[in-house]
Amino acid sequence: MFGLGWLEVGALIVIALLVFGPDKLPQAAAQAGKTLRDLRRMATNARDDLRAGLPPEYRDFDPADLNPRTFVRKHLLDDVEDSWNAKPAEEPVLTAPALPEPVDELGVGEIPPYDAEAT
């Protein structure tokens, strides 16, 4: 719940009891619940008004897409995950490179052949 553990929630309840007292705590909780419902209703109405004012090509717009975390996940990480999960069309066939002609013996003063890939 909001990134809080049970210890933090318990501490908040104890603090609320100390601040409001046992008599006024139910009234404060009811007021907080009403305020939260009102905020949610206002957010829903604002989202609906925004969607109603958009042209038809933006009807599928979701304001949550403007959240930077959602934007990164949707537009950047989905492409990476798709490329990771994509199956290759066909395995490439690997062929060995052509080998130079074998040299039986080197004559006196001859330099052995140089292979750039071997070094």
Side-chain angles (χ1 to χ4, degrees):
M1 175 167 73
F2 303 114
L4 299 176
W6 290 108
L7 185 61
E8 290 90 356
V9 172
L12 289 174
I13 291 173
V14 169
I15 291 171
L17 275 172
L18 291 175
V19 170
F20 296 110
D23 298 338
K24 300 216 178 196
L25 185 60
Q27 294 170 354
Q31 183 65 30
K34 182 179 180 234
T35 303
L36 185 61
R37 279 191 303 274
D38 289 343
L39 287 174
R40 285 184 182 168
R41 185 177 38 80
M42 286 189 300
T44 302
N45 289 341
R47 184 179 61 229
D48 292 342
D49 289 345
L50 177 67
R51 284 188 180 160
L54 290 175
E57 60 265 13
Y58 295 108
R59 291 288 181 205
D60 61 343
F61 171 72
D62 186 14
D65 291 340
L66 299 177
N67 182 343
R69 183 178 295 162
T70 305
F71 180 83
V72 168
R73 185 180 306 124
K74 183 176 181 179
H75 294 289
L76 298 178
L77 297 181
D78 283 349
D79 295 338
V80 172
E81 288 176 2
D82 290 343
S83 67
W84 285 343
N85 296 329
K87 293 182 181 179
E90 193 167 313
E91 292 292 323
V93 178
L94 301 177
T95 58
L99 298 175
E101 292 290 324
V103 178
D104 291 335
E105 290 184 27
L106 292 176
V108 178
E110 284 188 67
I111 299 174
Y114 177 75
D115 186 4
E117 292 178 322
T119 56

